[in-house]
Amino acid sequence: MLTLAFPKYDLGWLGWVAMVPLLISILHQRAFSAFFLTLIFGVVSFSGIFFWIFDIPGYKLLHHALLGCYFGPLMGLFGLTVNLISRRWNAGAALLATPFIWVSIEYLRSNLAFLALPWALLGHTQYQNSLIIQIASITGTYGISFLAAFANAALAAAILAFSPPGLWSGSQIFFPVTRRAAISMVMTVVASLFLTLLYGWTVVSQTVGGPAIRMSVLQGNISQQMKSAPKKHAAYIMQKYTDLSRQAAADHPDLIAWPEAATPGFILKNQPMIQELSSLIAEIKTPFLIGSSEYPKFIKDRPLRPGDVGNAALFFSSKGQFLGQYLKIHLVPFGEELPYKDSISWPSYIVPKDKKTFEIPGRDYTIFKLGETKFGTVICWEVVFPQLIRQFVKRKAAFMVNLTNEGWFGDTSAPHQMVAIVVFRAVENRVPFVRAANTGISCFIDSYGNITGRVKDQHGDDTFVEGYFTGKIRPSNARTFYTLYGDIFAYIVLALTGLILASVAFKRPRRLYRTENSAAGDG
C-alpha cells in the first residue's frame, strides 16, 4: 500500500492508512519480532518505490541489497521503538508516539552525511492535495509526514479499541488501547486536518507574486546512447535544440531553458560551437539558460586542475554574451563524486575500477538576474534537498529553474516522483519552479505547488517525447517561515522523541502477556 501511494501510481489516499496493518502487528510482539517485521516492511515497500533504479546502467541486484541494508534497519528501528514503548507503557502511548518516531527516522535518513536521501517521505504522497500541503511553508515536508503518520496511528488505535477482545492476539493483553484514548487520538487528527485545510484555503486564496514572466522549456528527448558519444552526434543534438529554440521563440518568452548537460561537449572551450550558440541567441534575442558539462571557469577558494569537469548551468544574455555559470553543488555519491576518496578504498562492486572521472562540486549559490528579477538554478537531484533550495531563496531568488536529465531511469516512476518532490520545494519557499528535462517531465509549478503546464505529445504522454512548452510564472519575493528558519518543526519533533526515548529507558519493563492459566483464573 505504501508503494502504491507514491507516483506514478498516485493513490495518495493510501498514505493515510498504509501503516495501519504494520502498527497493529508490531505493538504486542517481542522486540526482535517487531524489529524484523518492520525491517521487512521497509525493504519491501522501498524496493517497490525505488524499483526504477534497476534501469540505471551498471546497477545490479547486489546494489539493491545494499540499499535494502540502508533502508531496512532504519525502518526496523522505528518498529523496535514503537514496540518498546508499548511494552513499557502501553499500546496507546506507543501509537501516540508513532508520528514523532516516524518523522525522526525520516529526518535521520534525509540528513545522514553522504547517504542522505530525503526521497519518498510519507508526506510526498500528498503532493496533489494542494490544501493540505500548504502547511509545508511552516513545517517543511515533515509536517505532512507527521500528520499522515498520526492518522495511521489513530486509525490503528480505533481498530484495536473497538475490536472484539482477543481478535488481534492469541493471548489476553495486559494493557490494550482504551476507547477513550482512541477517540481522543481520532478527534485530534480530525481537528489537525481541519486546521491544516483551513490554513491551506487561506493561503491559496491570496495572490502571490509580481508581474508574470514568460518562459520556454525545451525537451530534446536525446537518448543516453547519443549523449554518451557527444562528438559523434554533436551536429544532431545542436540542430535539435536549435529547432526547438526557434519554435519556442515564436511565443516571445523572456527566458529559454535547455535541460541538464544538453550541449554535446564542453562548449566554452569549443570556439566554433560557442559562436554558433551565441549567434542563435542573438538571432532570437532572448536570454538562454543552458545545461552543460564544462571545464569550470572558476571556483571560489579552490585551484582548478587540468581535466576538472563540472555539471554546470550557463547563462547567456539576449545578445549571446556569456554572463555566468552555476556549478552543481550536491553531487550524486559514487556517480558524480567519490565520498571520502582520500580515506576510504571503496570495493569494486560499489565503484568499478574503470571509473576514473568524477566531477568537482561547486560552492556558490549563484543568483542570476533576468531584468530586475533574480532567480536560482539547481541541477538534477539537487531539488530533493530542501536546505539547498532555501539558500537560493534566502539570497532573494524569486523563482527557481531545475535543469535535469532523467533519461537514465527509462520509462519508470522516477521522474514522476521527482516532480512530486519539487512541488514541496515550491510550497516550502512560496516560489515557482520551472523544470527543463531532457526526456521529461518538463513542467511549470506555481508557488502553491500546482503543476500548471508541461511538455507532452498529442497522446498526453510527458516522458520520452520531444517538444517545448511556454508558460507564465509569477516570481515571488515572499519569505516563508520555512525559508527563514528551516526545519524547526523537525527539531521540535526530534527533541520530543528524545524525551519519549528517555522515558522508555528509565521505566521498568512490564510483562506483555498473561498466561492462559492466569487469564482463566482471573475469569
Side-chain angles (χ1 to χ4, degrees):
M1 287 194 293
L2 189 61
T3 298
L4 295 175
F6 286 90
K8 56 183 176 177
Y9 305 105
D10 280 332
L11 300 179
W13 63 270
L14 286 174
W16 301 95
V17 300
M19 294 163 53
V20 172
L22 173 72
L23 291 171
I24 292 175
S25 69
I26 65 175
L27 282 175
H28 305 110
Q29 297 283 342
R30 296 185 182 276
F32 176 78
S33 297
F35 176 85
F36 183 73
L37 282 172
T38 319
L39 184 148
I40 296 299
F41 172 88
V43 170
V44 173
S45 58
F46 284 107
S47 292
I49 294 168
F50 289 103
F51 194 76
W52 47 262
I53 205 168
F54 280 107
D55 280 66
I56 298 177
Y59 189 84
K60 301 177 181 177
L61 187 61
L62 174 61
H63 302 126
H64 212 59
L66 292 173
L67 190 66
C69 290
Y70 173 57
F71 281 112
L74 285 174
M75 291 304 301
L77 181 61
F78 164 77
L80 176 62
T81 307
V82 171
N83 176 266
L84 288 177
I85 297 172
S86 177
R87 291 164 64 87
R88 296 203 176 191
W89 286 99
N90 55 62
L95 291 171
L96 189 61
T98 291
F100 294 91
I101 302 166
W102 181 273
V103 168
S104 296
I105 295 294
E106 282 195 342
Y107 185 84
L108 178 63
R109 73 172 172 89
S110 298
N111 295 275
L112 200 58
F114 69 91
L115 293 175
L117 189 61
W119 195 307
L121 305 185
L122 183 59
H124 292 155
T125 62
Q126 303 306 307
Y127 79 102
Q128 293 178 312
N129 197 328
S130 61
L131 293 183
I132 284 180
I133 65 175
Q134 299 309 315
I135 198 68
S137 63
I138 298 174
T139 65
T141 309
Y142 300 113
I144 293 91
S145 290
F146 185 94
L147 191 57
F150 196 10
N152 277 270
L155 182 56
I159 291 173
L160 287 171
F162 289 91
S163 295
L167 179 63
W168 301 104
S169 176
S171 302
Q172 180 68 27
I173 300 172
F174 259 131
F175 27 94
V177 182
T178 66
R179 292 187 175 184
R180 181 177 180 180
I183 292 172
S184 297
M185 288 184 65
V186 170
M187 294 302 294
T188 303
V189 168
V190 171
S192 299
L193 276 171
F194 173 76
L195 292 175
T196 300
L197 290 168
L198 179 62
Y199 174 80
W201 179 82
T202 302
V203 168
V204 301
S205 299
Q206 301 171 355
T207 300
V208 174
I213 289 177
R214 293 175 65 85
M215 186 170 170
S216 295
V217 291
L218 312 186
Q219 186 167 304
N221 194 28
I222 306 298
S223 70
Q224 290 302 119
Q225 291 77 9
M226 285 188 175
K227 293 181 72 65
S228 63
K231 291 184 178 179
K232 179 179 179 181
H233 301 287
Y236 174 85
I237 293 172
M238 289 301 293
Q239 189 61 51
K240 174 72 67 178
Y241 281 109
T242 296
D243 293 342
L244 288 173
S245 297
R246 288 193 171 117
Q247 293 173 36
D251 294 334
H252 305 291
D254 300 302
L255 178 66
I256 294 176
W258 294 13
E260 173 191 12
T263 63
F266 313 108
I267 65 169
L268 294 181
K269 297 291 185 179
N270 186 323
Q271 284 301 316
M273 190 174 293
I274 194 66
Q275 288 177 2
E276 176 186 348
L277 182 59
S278 296
S279 298
L280 170 67
I281 297 171
E283 170 197 330
I284 293 176
K285 299 179 181 179
T286 302
F288 272 55
L289 184 67
I290 295 176
S292 179
S293 292
E294 290 295 334
Y295 298 114
K297 292 179 70 65
F298 52 86
I299 299 180
K300 184 184 295 185
D301 302 326
R302 173 185 290 177
L304 292 176
R305 298 167 298 182
D308 277 346
V309 176
N311 195 341
L314 311 179
F315 187 44
F316 294 86
S317 73
S318 58
K319 296 180 180 179
Q321 178 185 4
F322 174 64
L323 298 179
Q325 68 171 7
Y326 165 70
L327 197 62
K328 187 177 181 181
I329 294 173
H330 206 304
L331 301 179
V332 179
F334 307 112
E336 295 176 328
E337 70 167 344
L338 191 58
Y340 305 110
K341 60 181 178 182
D342 296 328
S343 55
I344 298 178
S345 179
W346 296 100
S348 59
Y349 59 81
I350 294 180
V351 182
K353 297 299 182 182
D354 58 353
K355 177 69 174 177
K356 302 295 184 183
T357 303
F358 293 95
E359 297 177 2
I360 56 173
R363 294 184 176 179
D364 296 330
Y365 300 96
T366 306
I367 299 294
F368 299 123
K369 288 190 69 175
L370 185 64
E372 297 301 317
T373 304
K374 296 181 178 180
F375 71 95
T377 305
V378 286
I379 298 174
C380 193
W381 84 321
E382 288 187 309
V383 292
V384 308
F385 298 97
Q387 299 303 325
L388 182 68
I389 307 304
R390 281 184 61 234
Q391 297 307 316
F392 287 95
V393 181
K394 288 175 70 175
R395 288 163 174 78
K396 299 185 178 181
F399 68 94
M400 295 292 299
V401 183
N402 176 210
L403 308 184
T404 185
N405 172 31
E406 289 146 28
W408 302 98
F409 309 127
D411 189 17
T412 65
S413 60
H416 301 270
Q417 292 176 12
M418 191 82 83
V419 169
I421 294 172
V422 180
V423 164
F424 284 89
R425 299 296 88 86
V427 174
E428 287 164 351
N429 301 282
R430 201 65 69 211
V431 294
F433 256 85
V434 179
R435 301 188 82 231
N438 172 36
T439 56
I441 300 169
S442 302
C443 63
F444 285 61
I445 301 172
D446 69 16
S447 300
Y448 303 112
N450 300 304
I451 302 171
T452 59
R454 65 182 76 199
V455 174
K456 55 186 178 181
D457 64 8
Q458 64 271 24
H459 304 294
D461 295 328
D462 53 11
T463 56
F464 292 92
V465 297
E466 69 173 72
Y468 76 93
F469 181 82
T470 302
K472 292 183 179 180
I473 56 172
R474 291 191 175 276
S476 170
N477 290 311
R479 293 297 173 263
T480 66
F481 182 90
Y482 187 81
T483 300
L484 297 174
Y485 303 108
D487 289 320
I488 294 295
F489 175 82
Y491 301 151
I492 294 173
V493 170
L494 287 168
L496 292 175
T497 302
L499 292 176
I500 293 170
L501 296 179
S503 71
V504 171
F506 288 105
K507 184 168 178 64
R508 294 181 61 185
R510 301 168 64 182
R511 287 182 62 201
L512 186 58
Y513 299 114
R514 300 179 181 183
T515 63
E516 292 181 2
N517 290 336
S518 64
D522 289 343

